[in-house]
Amino acid sequence: MVAAVGTFDGVHLGHRALIGQVLAEAKARGQECAIFTFAGHPLDVVAPERAPRLITPIEEKMRLLRQAGIDRVISLGFDQRMRSLTARQFMEMLRDEHEVQALVVGFNNHFGRDREGNFSTYQAIGQEIGIDVIRGKEQALEVERGQIVPVSSSSIRVALSRNQIERANLMLGRPYRLCGTVAQGQGIGRTIGWPTANVQPSEPRQLIPARGVYAADAYTADGQRWPAMVNIGKRPTIADNLEPTIEAHLIGYEGDLYGQPITLDFKRFIRPEQRFPSLAALQSQLALDLKNVST
C-alpha cells in the first residue's frame, strides 16, 4: 500500500498535489492507496493553548479525501499513546498494522514524538524497515500579481483572519465552507426589512472568517442554492457588547429556516464591520451591500 500521513486540514491545493503523488505511485505499483489523518489537530493534545481553529471539520475532510480518489481514508486517534511513538515506531506501526510499503512525505511534514527528524531521517528509517519514503513536492500559487506563496493550512488561516476570503479560496481550490444550524435570533433583521438566518456552526472549533460582510452561496436542507449576504460580527449599530453572530440574508428566500441545517460557501469580502449613526443609515448601506453581493 502507498500512503501519506498528515492533518490535511482544509484538503487544499497543496494537499491535493500530495494526494496526486500518492495516486500516481499507487497506480505505478499496482497497489491500493491510503491517507492517514486525525480527527482534530495534534496540538489539541500536545499544546491545547496553541491549537489552531479547524479549516475543515472531520466529516467534510474525510469526504473530500475520498472524493479525491483515495482507496482508504483512515482517521487515527491522536492520544498520549500516539504522541509517545517515535518516528521509527510510527512507521513500523504503518507497516505492521496497515501494510504500508511506500510513504509519500509532504515537504513540511513531520511525525513521531516531538515531530522529530526530517525527510532524510524518515528515508533512512524506511530503508531499515522496508518502507520506500518519497519526497512530496511543495505547491505554491501566485495569490496577487508577482506574489507567490506556498500553499499551507497556516496561510489559509491567516487569510481568513484578515478578510482575504478570495485568497483563501484560491489556496483551497474551492469556496470556504461553513456548515451549521439556523437558530432563533433576536429577529432584528426582520424588523428593519432584512430577515436573516442566525447560523450556529456545527463544529465549534471551526475557524470563522474575520468580521465583516461577505457574498456567499447558501444551501438549504432541500439542496437549493440561494445567493446570500452574510454578516459576521457584533452588530454595533444595534447595541454595544453584543455577542458575535453569523447572520445570512438569503436573497429571494421566503420561509422558515429555524432548526434546519444550512451550508454557507463564502465567495467574496464586501466590507468590514462598522457602526452606523442610525438604523436608517444601516438600511441604506445594506441596500448597497446587496448590489455588491448580486454583481
Side-chain angles (χ1 to χ4, degrees):
M1 179 179 293
V2 180
V5 178
T7 306
F8 287 92
D9 190 21
V11 195
H12 52 61
L13 293 184
H15 294 143
R16 290 181 180 273
L18 185 70
I19 290 167
Q21 284 187 260
V22 172
L23 291 169
E25 190 66 30
K27 182 178 180 179
R29 293 169 179 255
Q31 297 178 355
E32 281 193 321
C33 58
I35 293 293
F36 294 87
T37 188
F38 307 100
H41 196 284
L43 282 176
D44 289 335
V45 174
V46 177
E49 71 282 358
R50 293 193 289 113
R53 291 281 181 170
L54 298 178
I55 299 169
T56 310
I58 182 62
E59 295 83 3
E60 178 73 0
K61 179 167 66 173
M62 301 288 275
R63 184 187 70 81
L64 289 168
L65 290 170
R66 293 190 185 99
Q67 191 180 68
I70 295 296
D71 296 314
R72 296 173 60 193
V73 181
I74 301 164
S75 180
L76 300 173
F78 193 87
D79 52 18
Q80 292 296 340
R81 173 188 169 277
M82 181 69 70
R83 177 188 178 184
S84 70
L85 295 179
T86 64
R88 176 185 289 272
Q89 290 171 331
F90 183 77
M91 292 174 65
E92 288 175 339
M93 180 271 291
L94 295 179
R95 180 198 62 188
D96 298 341
E97 298 182 18
H98 301 282
E99 300 181 339
V100 171
Q101 299 174 26
L103 188 64
V104 182
V105 178
F107 76 97
N108 63 348
N109 193 22
H110 301 273
F111 51 80
R113 185 170 58 209
D114 299 323
R115 294 168 57 87
E116 61 191 357
N118 52 31
F119 178 79
S120 297
T121 305
Y122 309 142
Q123 198 170 45
I125 294 171
Q127 289 174 349
E128 294 175 8
I129 69 172
I131 294 179
D132 296 330
V133 179
I134 302 159
R135 187 188 297 273
K137 299 175 182 177
E138 181 178 2
Q139 183 80 1
L141 283 175
E142 184 174 0
V143 295
E144 292 180 6
R145 185 176 299 177
Q147 185 181 4
I148 299 175
V149 299
V151 178
S152 68
S153 300
S154 297
S155 296
I156 292 169
R157 291 189 192 99
V158 170
L160 291 171
S161 70
R162 296 178 177 174
N163 298 120
Q164 297 170 335
I165 194 71
E166 290 163 289
R167 175 181 289 203
N169 290 348
L170 184 64
M171 290 188 279
L172 284 167
R174 64 184 188 282
Y176 185 65
R177 171 165 287 187
L178 184 68
C179 297
T181 302
V182 179
Q184 186 78 44
Q186 295 178 318
I188 296 171
R190 188 174 299 277
T191 63
I192 63 173
W194 295 91
T196 60
N198 179 18
V199 180
Q200 296 294 317
S202 301
E203 172 52 73
R205 298 174 299 171
Q206 187 172 359
L207 177 60
I208 307 302
R211 296 176 189 172
V213 178
Y214 296 86
D217 284 331
Y219 294 87
T220 48
D222 58 5
Q224 290 290 313
R225 180 183 68 84
W226 299 88
M229 181 169 67
V230 179
N231 182 79
I232 299 175
K234 291 190 171 186
R235 299 158 294 161
T237 306
I238 305 300
D240 292 324
N241 302 317
L242 293 175
E243 290 296 317
T245 59
I246 304 166
E247 304 279 349
H249 173 71
L250 278 59
I251 301 170
Y253 182 85
E254 294 182 4
D256 185 356
L257 291 171
Y258 291 132
Q260 297 186 34
I262 190 169
T263 297
L264 300 177
D265 282 356
F266 289 82
K267 297 164 61 179
R268 289 183 293 113
F269 175 66
I270 302 299
R271 64 169 174 84
E273 180 181 48
Q274 61 190 106
R275 182 192 298 270
F276 293 93
S278 65
L279 287 178
L282 171 60
Q283 289 172 302
S284 296
Q285 181 60 54
L286 289 174
L288 293 175
D289 294 339
L290 184 62
K291 290 182 180 180
N292 287 333
V293 167
S294 301
T295 57

